[in-house]
C-alpha cells in the first residue's frame, strides 16, 4: 500500500552543471516499475549550479510544477512571461498546445528544486504560466494546497489536472494525516528532515508511493519539509 523509493535507488544523471535524480522514468533512465504513478509522470530532484540552467526547449500537453527548495530559478518563455521563483515558492506551467521555455539559475549559489509533471485532464488549450510565494510559516503543522485543478482551492496556483500539490512544514514529534481517496494516487517526498509513515522511516528526498483508499499517518522524526501530490 506504501512503496518506499529510497534516494539511493532513484535514477541518476550527472551533467556537470546539473545533478539530477529521477523518481520516475526520465531521459536515459528507465525502470519498467517506475513509469508513472497514476497521472504523475515525472518527479525530478535537480541541483543546478550557479549561472547555468536549461536553455529554451519545447513542451506540450503537460502540467509542470516547480517547487524551489534552495536558491531561485528564473523562467522565460515564448509567451513573453519572465519571473524569478525563490526557495519555498512555486511556479506552474500548463504547456497546452505547445510552449518553449528556459529555466536558469542566475544566483551565486546552487539551486535545488523538485520538478513535477502531471498529465492534464484534456490535451490542447492555450499554454499558461504562473508563480506565487508560499511562506513556510503559513503551512506549519498542516498541509497547504500550492497548486490545484479543483475549484474551491482558494489561493492555490491553477493547473489543468485532476490533482493537488500540497506542502507542510512539521517539527520533530508533530503528526499529520492524509487520506488518499479510492482510485487515487499520492506521492510524497520529504524535502528536508526525516519522517515516519505508518511505521516506515523516510529520510530526506526518499519517495513514498501511496495507493488510494487509505489514510496515512505522518510523524516527523526530525524537523521536516514535506511535498505531496495527490492525483488521479
Amino acid at each position: 500500500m506504501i512503496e518506499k523509493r529510497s534516494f539511493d535507488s532513484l535514477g541518476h544523471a550527472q551533467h556537470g552543471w546539473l545533478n539530477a535524480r529521477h523518481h520516475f522514468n526520465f531521459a536515459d533512465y528507465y525502470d519498467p516499475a517506475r513509469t508513472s504513478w497514476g497521472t504523475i509522470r515525472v518527479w525530478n530532484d535537480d541541483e543546478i549550479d550557479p549561472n547555468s540552467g536549461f536553455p529554451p526547449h519545447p513542451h506540450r500537453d503537460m502540467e509542470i510544477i516547480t517547487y524551489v527548495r534552495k536558491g531561485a530559478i528564473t523562467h522565460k518563455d515564448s509567451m513573453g512571461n519572465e519571473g524569478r521563483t525563490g526557495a519555498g515558492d512555486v511556479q506552474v506551467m500548463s504547456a497546452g498546445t505547445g510552449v518553449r521555455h528556459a529555466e536558469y539559475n542566475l544566483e551565486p549559489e546552487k539551486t535545488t528544486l523538485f520538478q513535477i509533471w502531471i498529465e492534464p485532464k484534456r490535451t490542447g488549450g492555450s499554454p499558461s504560466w504562473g508563480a506565487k510565494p508560499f511562506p513556510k510559516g503559513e503551512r506549519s503543522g498542516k498541509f497547504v494546497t500550492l497548486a490545484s485543478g479543483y475549484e474551491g482551492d482558494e489561493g492555490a496556483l491553477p493547473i489543468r489536472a485532476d490533482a493537488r500539490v500540497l506542502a507542510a512544514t512539521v517539527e520533530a514529534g508533530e503528526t499529520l494525516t492524509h487520506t488518499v481517496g479510492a482510485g487515487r494516487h499520492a506521492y510524497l517526498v520529504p524535502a528536508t528532515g526525516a519522517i515516519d509513515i505508518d511505521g516506515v522511516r523516510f529520510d530526506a528526498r526518499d519517495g513514498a508511493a501511496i495507493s488510494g483508499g487509505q489514510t496515512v499517518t505522518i510523524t516527523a522524526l526530525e524537523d521536516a519539509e514535506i511535498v505531496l501530490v495527490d492525483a488521479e
Side-chain angles (χ1 to χ4, degrees):
M1 300 294 280
I2 302 175
E3 177 194 350
K4 180 176 179 178
R5 300 182 179 182
S6 66
F7 180 74
D8 289 344
S9 76
L10 304 180
H12 186 213
Q14 174 56 259
H15 298 290
W17 61 273
L18 171 68
N19 185 21
R21 294 278 180 170
H22 309 307
H23 287 262
F24 300 92
N25 294 337
F26 191 83
D28 294 332
Y29 169 61
Y30 178 74
D31 181 335
R34 297 184 178 181
T35 57
S36 64
W37 188 242
T39 56
I40 305 168
R41 292 299 186 194
V42 168
W43 190 310
N44 287 346
D45 182 328
D46 291 342
E47 299 177 348
I48 306 167
D49 283 348
N51 300 306
S52 63
F54 302 92
H57 58 282
H59 291 285
R60 65 176 299 151
D61 293 325
M62 194 64 67
E63 302 301 294
I64 300 174
I65 301 98
T66 303
Y67 180 95
V68 181
R69 295 166 14 230
K70 179 181 177 183
I73 200 76
T74 297
H75 168 97
K76 294 183 180 181
D77 64 41
S78 55
M79 298 175 284
N81 296 307
E82 181 174 349
R84 177 183 179 276
T85 303
D89 299 338
V90 179
Q91 68 171 16
V92 301
M93 187 174 73
S94 295
T97 54
V99 63
R100 290 179 63 83
H101 76 133
E103 307 288 340
Y104 289 111
N105 174 16
L106 303 180
E107 313 302 312
E109 63 177 337
K110 183 176 292 187
T111 287
T112 63
L113 55 82
F114 293 142
Q115 188 177 99
I116 300 162
W117 296 10
I118 306 172
E119 290 183 358
K121 290 183 251 189
R122 293 177 295 277
T123 58
S126 299
S128 65
W129 175 83
K132 186 176 178 180
F134 287 94
K136 292 183 181 180
E138 294 181 5
R139 44 189 147 115
S140 176
K142 62 181 180 180
F143 280 113
V144 168
T145 304
L146 310 178
S148 173
Y150 302 106
E151 294 182 6
D153 284 338
E154 294 184 9
L157 286 161
I159 54 176
R160 303 170 190 170
D162 285 321
R164 289 184 176 92
V165 180
L166 307 102
T169 57
V170 284
E171 296 182 355
E174 285 189 314
T175 294
L176 299 174
T177 60
H178 181 76
T179 299
V180 187
R184 295 184 65 83
H185 304 77
Y187 199 82
L188 181 155
V189 180
T192 61
I195 61 174
D196 175 290
I197 305 176
D198 288 354
V200 179
R201 180 186 176 105
F202 291 80
D203 290 305
R205 301 159 77 184
D206 290 345
I210 306 169
S211 300
Q214 62 178 318
T215 297
V216 294
T217 299
I218 304 156
T219 302
L221 303 176
E222 305 166 353
D223 291 355
E225 180 180 352
I226 301 167
V227 181
L228 183 152
V229 175
D230 188 314
E232 287 288 308

